Amino acid sequence: MFEDKNHRTELNSLGEFGLIRHLQGLIENKNPSTVKGIGDDAAVIDRSDHYEVLTNDLLIEGVHFDLSYTPLKHLGYKAAMVNISDVFAMNAHPSQITVGLAVSNRFSLEAIEELYGGILLACERFGVDLVGGDTSSTPSGMVISISAIGRVEKDKVVYRSTAQVHDLICVSGNLGAAYIGLQILNREKQIFLENPSVQPDLEGSDYVIERQLKPEARGDIIQALHSADILPTSMIDISDGLASELLHLCAASDKGCRIYEDKIPIDPLTVLKCEDFNINPTISALSGGEDYELLFTISQSDFEKAKAIPSISIIGHITEASAGSALIDKSDHETPIRAQGWDSMKDN
Ligand code: ADP
Ligand code: MG
């Protein structure tokens, strides 16, 4: 990569995932304990009698969050939850996090205490310890980088890459709400900027706004699957939208899929609020992102057991790769699934 000094490749020609794939090509793991490196929700490390999983997420003010409508306590909670969600996506249990924080002098001690209040609340939810981090200053704004580790029995780890043809595709909870919550917050911010005397109109939108500001990692689903004696055949968490994550899972497993529009779980309030913005709720679910639900596949023999778990929806099945990935819409038309989720390096 250092040979042709005159050649310049623009990052937006690769996009975020293209860049990660490129970096992956430059890296060769040397330690036998590195079971899984780049390419899943978390890395997997062999600790003799169990596996440890390790993941990191970066949140940048102005890119991932807007402090004009995000309370610092919520921001801290979300920053920890998105990491914990990646640990659950490996079927592991989170145990420790570290917190890297860069702030400008725009923030007070009380503000940082609020942020940590949120981080610690998320930790408490799942019995996680905050064991370290790093602190630095920035010329402006705030950057939060959290790493999480977790633990899983060796025969229980679940990757993105192991879905099998005919497996059933499942999602937890409902999708698309966090995106529409963000649209409402952005709309009210614009109205406020134009006329600061107008009070924000958030009436009746609590649920979707909460989904945006206070996501909950689905440790309860991991527990419910375990209790029902179901080991998913593959799994990923939904941070960038169902479409993008399905394509990641299918690409990693070298498979295709069929999902059914009428099976995608969408909360009635999401449907209602989508109307205000003229957004098709299915598009919000497919491309909105930030739901932090789990997308996983199960073997057909686990169908009855999965059906008995509330808040799990079966939305389709895995096919051979040659069949591609498609959505069957409500009028029975098949459309290829495309990722229009969050890609921070492409012009969205
Ligand atoms: P997620 O949405 O689950 O957090 P990402 O899409 O951020 O996953 O990352 C996909 C994979 O790429 C993960 O295995 C992650 O560890 C790896 N990855 C992301 N950014 C980098 C980077 N800058 N260097 C090395 N690996 C990276
Ligand atoms: Mg993930």
Side-chain angles (χ1 to χ4, degrees):
M1 87 167 168
F2 301 110
E3 279 144 31
D4 182 359
K5 292 231 164 52
N6 294 319
H7 187 69
R8 180 186 158 92
T9 308
E10 300 300 334
L11 289 181
N12 62 8
S13 71
L14 293 165
E16 180 186 338
F17 300 121
L19 173 61
I20 295 173
R21 257 195 312 278
H22 187 83
L23 294 175
Q24 197 171 5
L26 305 176
I27 294 165
E28 202 180 313
N29 295 321
K30 291 167 202 71
N31 286 299
S33 58
T34 307
V35 177
K36 177 85 195 176
I38 296 173
D40 216 301
D41 292 282
V44 178
I45 301 158
D46 192 335
R47 297 290 181 221
S48 328
D49 64 331
H50 69 276
Y51 284 151
E52 189 166 80
V53 303
L54 171 61
T55 179
N56 174 269
D57 266 290
L58 195 54
L59 295 182
I60 317 279
E61 184 177 0
V63 179
H64 301 101
F65 59 90
D66 183 334
L67 288 175
S68 58
Y69 53 68
T70 310
L72 282 163
K73 191 165 181 181
H74 286 70
L75 176 63
Y77 190 85
K78 182 167 177 173
M81 275 297 169
V82 303
N83 276 275
I84 290 172
S85 177
D86 276 326
V87 171
F88 285 134
M90 305 304 294
N91 203 33
H93 289 278
S95 48
Q96 284 87 11
I97 61 165
T98 59
V99 180
L101 178 66
V103 279
S104 68
N105 56 14
R106 198 179 106 216
F107 296 94
S108 64
L109 171 63
E110 289 71 23
I112 304 303
E113 278 180 349
E114 277 290 299
L115 179 78
Y116 270 70
I119 296 174
L120 291 171
L121 193 62
C123 286
E124 211 170 286
R125 276 275 281 116
F126 296 111
V128 169
D129 290 329
L130 198 170
V131 294
D134 196 19
T135 309
S136 183
S137 60
T138 53
S140 69
M142 179 185 279
V143 176
I144 309 168
S145 167
I146 297 190
S147 295
I149 60 176
R151 179 192 173 104
V152 57
E153 298 312 312
K154 285 186 169 178
D155 57 351
K156 295 286 181 332
V157 68
V158 179
Y159 297 105
R160 296 176 179 180
S161 55
T162 39
Q164 303 298 321
V165 174
H166 304 312
D167 282 354
L168 303 173
I169 302 171
C170 308
V171 290
S172 64
N174 63 73
L175 303 176
Y179 178 73
I180 211 66
L182 181 64
Q183 302 314 304
I184 294 169
L185 290 167
N186 273 324
R187 178 189 66 193
E188 296 309 313
K189 179 187 174 182
Q190 285 314 318
I191 293 171
F192 177 80
L193 290 174
E194 280 156 31
N195 186 351
S197 66
V198 177
Q199 287 298 306
D201 176 17
L202 304 176
E203 187 74 21
S205 303
D206 290 10
Y207 176 68
V208 293
I209 289 171
E210 187 163 311
R211 292 283 286 171
Q212 167 59 220
L213 293 180
K214 196 169 171 285
E216 301 289 346
R218 298 308 304 259
D220 58 329
I221 296 292
I222 297 301
Q223 187 55 50
L225 289 168
H226 179 75
S227 303
D229 199 24
I230 299 173
L231 184 65
T233 52
S234 69
M235 186 151 56
I236 184 169
D237 72 331
I238 305 182
S239 50
D240 294 342
L242 176 62
S244 170
E245 312 299 357
L246 249 182
L247 293 178
H248 282 317
L249 189 139
C250 287
S253 296
D254 192 24
K255 297 288 181 292
C257 69
R258 290 293 175 279
I259 59 164
Y260 296 85
E261 184 181 15
D262 59 352
K263 305 270 188 238
I264 299 174
I266 303 177
D267 186 84
L269 187 67
T270 304
V271 177
L272 194 70
K273 294 294 164 188
C274 275
E275 278 172 21
D276 293 353
F277 291 90
N278 224 347
I279 294 173
N280 177 337
T282 304
I283 302 291
S284 188
L286 285 171
S287 305
E290 297 199 281
D291 296 307
Y292 295 101
E293 295 293 343
L294 293 169
L295 168 67
F296 56 97
T297 55
I298 58 169
S299 140
Q300 286 209 3
S301 56
D302 285 333
F303 173 69
E304 293 296 336
K305 286 193 269 182
K307 237 178 42 175
I309 303 177
S311 76
I312 287 182
S313 305
I314 298 168
I315 62 165
H317 60 272
I318 296 290
T319 64
E320 301 284 358
S322 57
S325 294
L327 172 81
I328 319 292
D329 71 16
K330 288 172 185 160
S331 9
D332 244 7
H333 290 126
E334 212 174 278
T335 22
I337 296 172
R338 267 189 289 273
Q340 283 158 344
W342 174 247
D343 188 338
S344 53
M345 278 161 190
K346 289 212 163 148
D347 309 318
N348 280 284

